Amino acid sequence: MPVIPMDPETLAIDASAAKAAGAAAAENYRNRTPYPYGSFDDFLPAEVLDRVLEELKQLPEAEDMFNRPQEKLKSSYLPERLPPYTRNLFYVLNSRPFVRFLEEMTGINGLIPDPYFAGGGVHVVANGGHLDIHADFNHNQKLNLERRLNILIYLNKDWKEEYGGSFEIWNTDMTEKVAGFVPLFNRMCCFNTGSDTWHGNPETVNHPDGEPRMSLALYYYTATWDYTRKSHTTLFKPRPGTKDQVDRQVKRADILQEVLPPVIFRKVIGRLQRFGF
């Protein structure tokens, strides 16, 4: 029985059952430390993700491709350019019944899905790739919203821990890994986001048949941003005792943001980053 009852043909969610599932998970989710997080197996009807996998055998050109020390061999694909069934699944995961599930689970009222899927969509990490431990950007500038919640649904059949790519939760001072989750097919991981909610999949993907690590990623917000807050991009932190590298690009941007007037900073930072500054 899936956590979220859904018609595989229409993708319609049983709203009352989804709300009840969120309420049932609330105590366990909210009481996790160092910040609320959760994991659900058999999250959606398996046939839904089987159809998604079939469609994703052919992908369009990626919107974003990363190949630097902190984000290696990672690509992302916006829902609007994906085949219809997969695209519609993303839209359903932005709908009221699913948002009510999330609100019941997290206790965060007024969650707002992102119609633009900024940073979200289908994520693919190729063999040899990884995503270092990080805290996500905290401000959706286009919508002026505060980022509050991440949802990750994995698409990797018969994946084993030794294949790498496990999702990790770290404590707030980055001294210890708190939890790890193998990215198994139809497993959903979710967590509240903040400036010290450190997470990632830093272990190199190493599938024996060269299969990539694939997931669906969606982010949710609240209308709680105000002028007293400081906006930041993704913040990477090296794990102690590893060869993880400091993100010098972000450090340079922080220095510029401190010394330049905001109008000038916004004009130049995008251009500088395109040249690897």
Side-chain angles (χ1 to χ4, degrees):
M1 184 70 180
V3 175
I4 301 297
M6 174 184 286
D7 185 313
E9 291 301 320
T10 66
L11 297 176
I13 292 175
D14 183 326
S16 59
K19 182 179 177 182
E27 182 177 3
N28 185 47
Y29 179 88
R30 299 181 198 180
N31 290 331
R32 292 282 182 88
T33 57
Y35 52 85
Y37 68 90
S39 174
F40 301 85
D41 289 339
D42 300 317
F43 186 63
L44 300 177
E47 52 264 51
V48 170
L49 295 186
D50 281 335
R51 289 181 63 170
V52 167
L53 273 178
E54 186 63 29
E55 285 194 336
L56 296 183
K57 286 180 177 179
Q58 292 187 338
L59 283 165
E61 184 177 351
E63 272 75 31
D64 293 299
M65 298 185 69
F66 303 93
N67 194 19
R68 63 194 190 103
Q70 293 76 29
E71 306 172 86
K72 189 174 182 183
L73 299 178
K74 180 189 171 208
S75 304
S76 63
Y77 304 83
L78 282 174
E80 66 194 57
R81 297 181 58 243
L82 296 174
Y85 190 85
T86 303
R87 181 172 66 242
N88 288 335
L89 176 60
F90 274 98
Y91 295 158
V92 167
L93 296 175
N94 266 6
S95 69
R96 183 179 185 273
F98 190 71
V99 170
R100 289 298 303 276
F101 160 76
L102 299 176
E103 289 182 334
E104 289 289 333
M105 177 181 65
T106 63
I108 304 173
N109 291 319
L111 280 175
I112 301 170
D114 176 13
Y116 299 97
F117 297 98
V122 171
H123 289 179
V124 179
V125 181
N127 253 24
H130 64 265
L131 176 62
D132 281 356
I133 299 298
H134 62 282
D136 292 302
F137 69 84
N138 62 345
H139 181 211
N140 186 315
Q141 296 185 11
K142 186 179 186 73
L143 302 175
N144 197 32
L145 299 175
E146 179 183 1
R147 185 166 174 173
R148 300 297 299 277
L149 186 67
N150 283 14
I151 301 296
L152 305 168
I153 303 173
Y154 298 109
L155 303 175
N156 313 292
K157 289 201 170 184
D158 304 316
W159 200 269
K160 298 180 180 179
E161 186 173 5
E162 56 262 35
Y163 298 167
S166 288
F167 174 69
E168 298 183 4
I169 298 281
W170 280 66
N171 61 5
T172 52
D173 60 5
M174 274 298 295
T175 58
E176 182 182 13
K177 184 175 82 169
V178 174
F181 301 94
V182 177
L184 297 173
F185 178 79
N186 208 6
R187 170 173 285 174
M188 187 272 263
C189 289
C190 55
F191 55 98
N192 288 18
T193 60
S195 297
D196 59 358
T197 54
W198 304 109
H199 64 279
N201 44 283
E203 293 299 326
T204 300
V205 174
N206 184 32
H207 192 283
D209 298 324
E211 295 291 331
R213 177 192 191 272
M214 299 181 69
S215 59
L216 312 181
L218 298 101
Y219 311 138
Y220 302 84
Y221 301 82
T222 54
T224 48
W225 189 265
D226 63 55
Y227 70 94
T228 66
R229 307 285 302 282
K230 181 181 178 181
S231 176
H232 63 70
T233 186
T234 304
L235 305 174
F236 287 93
K237 280 219 173 170
R239 294 168 295 165
T242 70
K243 295 182 179 179
D244 296 353
Q245 296 186 33
V246 173
D247 191 346
R248 302 192 185 282
Q249 182 174 315
V250 169
K251 283 186 172 293
R252 289 192 293 265
D254 284 343
I255 293 171
L256 280 180
Q257 191 170 15
E258 291 293 331
V259 301
L260 292 177
V263 173
I264 296 176
F265 175 79
R266 288 194 296 268
K267 284 184 177 180
V268 303
I269 189 60
R271 297 173 188 173
L272 290 174
Q273 288 177 341
R274 282 195 292 273
F275 287 103
F277 176 84

